[in-house]
Amino acid sequence: MTNLGVPVESFIIERLDAGGWRVTERRPDLTDIPVADFVSLRDAEEWVQWKQGVPKLNPYTVE
């Protein structure tokens, strides 16, 4: 797998041939390690945001 331009220590989401999505972690030494498989792209993106520390906002909160 070649992902030119991807920052070091990042997460890559890719489509699987059999269906679903795989999250791969790019390490500082430029090795790619599969971390998790998901059924939906939304779940994969949500998991990556959680791992990167992006808070998930509750859409039902009242301000």
Side-chain angles (χ1 to χ4, degrees):
M1 165 177 31
T2 16
N3 290 309
L4 300 175
V6 175
V8 177
E9 295 186 71
S10 61
F11 292 99
I12 303 161
I13 300 174
E14 56 190 350
R15 181 89 168 130
L16 298 174
D17 292 336
W21 299 86
R22 172 166 289 156
V23 176
T24 306
E25 182 179 359
R26 167 76 39 101
R27 297 285 176 101
D29 60 357
L30 299 181
T31 56
D32 292 340
I33 299 174
V35 178
D37 291 341
F38 295 91
V39 174
S40 72
L41 176 60
R42 180 178 170 191
D43 288 343
E45 290 173 338
E46 214 171 85
W47 186 86
V48 168
Q49 289 179 349
W50 172 74
K51 286 297 280 185
Q52 292 176 337
V54 177
K56 181 179 177 184
L57 301 176
N58 184 348
Y60 302 106
T61 57
V62 179
E63 290 184 22

